[in-house]
Amino acid sequence: MNESTYKRTFESANGKIENGNYSSANKKIISDFLDFTRMQEIDYGARSHYATFLKQFLDFTKDKSLKKCTAKDVVDFLDAKRERVKPYTVHLTYAKLRKFFTWLYKGKLPF
């Protein structure tokens, strides 16, 4: 895929979060994180993965406060994904969630 396709994919995934039935606190956290990734000059392909996986995680946890999520929530989410996707996708999801939660907790994961 080229950069314009990734940009459209990112905008679509981000729009689903912004317009979704999620708490305003979770929307703000994700918006701030995606702004952070933009400032880090992370490309649209990676940013679209972040937005997609975070939306899937919110759906899986039924919009649980991201600040209250535990390692068990992440493991359960990855286990559920493992049943439907290839191992590489599970690993990619794990890497993106780890980066997100490391950012959220300023490098000090509570789990």
Side-chain angles (χ1 to χ4, degrees), residues 40 43 48 51 87 92 98-99:
Q40 296 293 308
D43 64 44
S48 70
L92 181 63
R98 182 172 176 212
K99 175 97 173 177

Side-chain angles (χ1 to χ4, degrees), residues 28 33 41 52 66 78:
K28 171 90 170 94
F33 175 72
E41 297 185 8
T52 298
L66 290 167
L78 294 173

Side-chain angles (χ1 to χ4, degrees), residues 51-105:
T52 298
F53 296 148
L54 287 168
K55 180 197 175 302
Q56 291 170 353
F57 186 72
L58 284 178
D59 290 341
F60 180 81
T61 62
K62 297 178 177 43
D63 195 32
K64 179 177 182 176
S65 169
L66 290 167
K67 290 193 172 191
K68 293 182 179 179
C69 287
T70 65
K72 182 173 180 2
D73 295 319
V74 174
V75 169
D76 289 349
F77 174 64
L78 294 173
D79 284 345
K81 275 190 90 65
R82 194 170 281 115
E83 296 171 8
R84 300 183 323 270
V85 299
K86 294 181 180 180
Y88 174 79
T89 304
V90 174
H91 177 74
L92 181 63
T93 303
Y94 167 74
K96 299 300 184 192
L97 287 177
R98 182 172 176 212
K99 175 97 173 177
F100 167 75
F101 282 108
T102 299
W103 168 85
L104 181 63
Y105 289 103

Side-chain angles (χ1 to χ4, degrees), residues 32-43:
D32 289 350
F33 175 72
L34 294 175
D35 286 346
F36 167 77
T37 63
R38 184 175 42 85
M39 289 186 296
Q40 296 293 308
E41 297 185 8
I42 294 174
D43 64 44

